Structure formats: structure tokens, C-alpha cells
Amino acid sequence: MSDDDNRKKDEMTTIQHQELRPGAMPPNASISRKLREFYNAVQEEGIPDRFLELLERLEQAEKNAKSVNAK
Amino acid sequence: MNREEEIDDRGFKRDLLASLPNLRAFAVSLTGRHDKADDLVQDTIMKAWANQSSFTAGTNMRAWLFTILRNEFYSQMRKRGREVQDSDGLFSERFSVHPEQYGRLDLQDFRKALDKLPDDQREAIILVGAAGFAYEEAAAICGCAVGTIKSRVSRARTRLQELLGVSGEGDYGPDPGDAAITARAFGS
């Protein structure tokens, strides 16, 4: 058995050991939690100014177009 | 413009604004990069604004916006062709642009793993597992069957487990505090 195989085997044993630890999260719960943490971190950055400005411009353009049509 | 239309317009903008942080997180998840994600969100806002008459008031605006963004993402990808995949290289580039967002080592690993998923699996697990859509809504957004979404989510979970497991950095293990205590206890 090569060193590489041994290392892989060690890693697998470690993972199994962690999964079986009492009180450790089941793997799916851990992945779901990390996924939400990752996603929430972006959500919490809020709305960049460029989008607020863009919406202002779109709204203004629409108003201008409507007032021209109304004339 | 009559009064009713004016109120409708304000409602549209208000609902759009309310959906933006979530929509942006979806864009970051799909593209893996903040700069590209924001360009995609901008295109989506313009498309949504131009097509507001096709939105049925009272229906799920978030799902409507996600559908527009997703279609935009894939049509841009088809136009440009898939960029060279170098997850680690790309990641370090992203990382240097927005270091503050990836302060936690375990989230960096997670992001790298997420980048390695096939597009269809990544979007499925993001929509269902993070963006808060039901399987049925995710299926409508992706234009596929509910069963397809379910199997993609399940394959994505398995793949993430493999990816994070192989990295062997305690992804399933105790929280960082416990890990530090363990490390000290073993004198490493």
C-alpha cells in the first residue's frame, strides 16, 4: 500500500470518527447550515447604491415618458 | 397616470427592492463573483422594469425575478461560452476583491466546494436550501419537473459532503471553538 493510500485511509477514518461523535451535527445539517450562512452573508451586504440609483433613473424615465404622452 | 396606477408602480418598486438582497445572493451563488453578479442583477432589474406589465400583481415577485435572472444568466453564458474553469485560481481572484466577506475559513472552503458543483445542481440546492423556495417553486423557476429538482438537490448534497469530507478540515466537526480547544489539548 502506498503512502498516498494510507493517507486516504486515515482521512476516511477521521471523517467517520467525526460523524459518529456524540453531539456532532449530521453531515446534511452541517451542509445546509453552511449553505445558509454563505447565502446570508451576501444578503446582509444590503443593496448597493448603483441599484438604488438605477431604479431612480428608471422611475424618472418612465414619468418623463408618461408626461410626454399625456401632452 | 391615474392614482391607482401610481400606487401600483410604487408597489412594484417597493417589492423589487425588498427582493434585491436575496436576488443578489442568488446571482453571487450562480456566478461565483461579486462583480459579475452585480452586472447580472442590473440586467435583471432593467428587464423586470421593462416587463412589469407581464408581472401579475399579487403573485410571487421573488420567483418572477429569480426566473428572469436565471434566464439572463444562462443566455449570457451561452453567448460568451463557458469561461475556463479554474476553481481555485478564480477563487483567489474573488477572494482578493472581497476579503471581508470570506473571513471564516470554513465558509471559504464551502464556497470552493459549491463552485465545483455542476450548474444545475448548484442552482437547485441554492434555491431550495438557501433562498427559501419550495421544491415546486424551484422547479417552476428552473423550468423542470419537481422530481428533477429533488434529485438535483440530493446529488448536490452528496457531492458537497464528498468535497468537504475529502478536504478533511473538520467540516462536519465541532465548532471552531471546540476545535481550538482540541488543538491545544493535543499540544499542536
Side-chain angles (χ1 to χ4, degrees), chain A residues 6-60:
Chain A
N6 273 325
R7 193 175 51 79
K8 273 186 195 141
K9 198 181 167 205
D10 283 347
E11 275 175 7
M12 282 169 74
T13 317
T14 313
I15 291 155
Q16 273 176 359
H17 173 72
Q18 283 174 355
E19 279 177 359
L20 296 174
R21 265 173 61 107
M25 288 247 204
N28 264 344
S30 170
I31 279 164
S32 304
R33 183 173 49 83
K34 285 218 168 77
L35 182 64
R36 281 194 302 272
E37 279 180 39
F38 159 75
Y39 199 84
N40 289 342
V42 182
Q43 280 204 85
E44 281 158 17
E45 289 167 21
I47 303 171
D49 286 344
R50 67 185 271 195
F51 298 137
L52 301 175
E53 285 157 17
L54 174 67
L55 280 168
E56 284 296 313
R57 283 204 305 278
L58 288 169
E59 202 171 35
Q60 198 53 49

Side-chain angles (χ1 to χ4, degrees), chain B residues 89-109:
Chain B
L90 262 180
F91 178 74
S92 21
E93 188 193 330
R94 289 166 201 167
F95 187 49
S96 65
V97 178
H98 287 274
E100 74 279 8
Q101 283 135 26
Y102 314 113
R104 287 184 47 192
L105 204 64
D106 57 340
L107 282 188
Q108 292 173 34
D109 289 339

Side-chain angles (χ1 to χ4, degrees), chain B residues 107-175:
Chain B
L107 282 188
Q108 292 173 34
D109 289 339
F110 185 80
R111 189 186 174 104
K112 274 197 257 190
L114 197 62
D115 273 355
K116 287 182 183 144
L117 292 183
D119 290 329
D120 59 350
Q121 291 180 23
R122 186 187 313 110
E123 69 179 5
I125 199 167
I126 290 282
L127 289 170
V128 172
F133 288 106
Y135 283 115
E136 290 74 13
E137 291 171 312
I141 290 168
C142 299
C144 65
V146 176
T148 309
I149 287 291
K150 284 185 179 169
S151 83
R152 284 175 187 169
V153 169
S154 146
R155 272 181 286 148
R157 286 213 166 102
T158 308
R159 184 84 183 104
L160 284 174
Q161 276 176 39
E162 285 166 6
L163 287 167
L164 294 167
V166 166
S167 77
E169 285 163 340
D171 296 286
Y172 308 144
D175 66 26

Side-chain angles (χ1 to χ4, degrees), chain B:
Chain B
M1 192 200 282
N2 67 33
R3 208 180 132 70
E4 221 166 83
E5 277 177 1
E6 207 171 325
I7 290 167
D8 269 2
D9 275 5
R10 278 207 300 270
F12 184 84
K13 187 183 169 185
R14 187 197 56 221
D15 291 350
L16 200 154
L17 275 172
S19 302
L20 272 189
N22 201 325
L23 189 69
R24 192 168 168 263
F26 182 50
V28 171
S29 314
L30 286 184
T31 62
R33 298 178 51 154
H34 271 69
D35 52 351
K36 286 202 171 160
D38 280 349
D39 288 346
L40 190 60
V41 170
Q42 170 145 344
D43 294 342
T44 305
I45 293 175
M46 300 204 335
K47 277 244 157 90
W49 194 271
N51 292 296
Q52 37 182 310
S53 59
S54 75
F55 175 71
T56 316
T59 61
N60 190 339
M61 183 182 285
R62 211 159 58 85
W64 184 69
L65 290 170
F66 271 62
T67 309
I68 297 176
L69 186 134
R70 181 185 174 276
N71 290 342
E72 194 62 24
F73 172 66
Y74 286 111
S75 87
Q76 288 182 6
M77 263 203 348
R78 273 194 300 274
K79 270 183 218 152
R80 288 174 198 160
R82 195 78 171 96
E83 282 170 33
V84 182
Q85 274 291 333
D86 169 19
S87 285
D88 286 2
L90 262 180
F91 178 74
S92 21
E93 188 193 330
R94 289 166 201 167
F95 187 49
S96 65
V97 178
H98 287 274
E100 74 279 8
Q101 283 135 26
Y102 314 113
R104 287 184 47 192
L105 204 64
D106 57 340
L107 282 188
Q108 292 173 34
D109 289 339
F110 185 80
R111 189 186 174 104
K112 274 197 257 190
L114 197 62
D115 273 355
K116 287 182 183 144
L117 292 183
D119 290 329
D120 59 350
Q121 291 180 23
R122 186 187 313 110
E123 69 179 5
I125 199 167
I126 290 282
L127 289 170
V128 172
F133 288 106
Y135 283 115
E136 290 74 13
E137 291 171 312
I141 290 168
C142 299
C144 65
V146 176
T148 309
I149 287 291
K150 284 185 179 169
S151 83
R152 284 175 187 169
V153 169
S154 146
R155 272 181 286 148
R157 286 213 166 102
T158 308
R159 184 84 183 104
L160 284 174
Q161 276 176 39
E162 285 166 6
L163 287 167
L164 294 167
V166 166
S167 77
E169 285 163 340
D171 296 286
Y172 308 144
D175 66 26
D178 283 354
I181 291 164
T182 313
R184 276 201 299 280
F186 285 92
S188 56

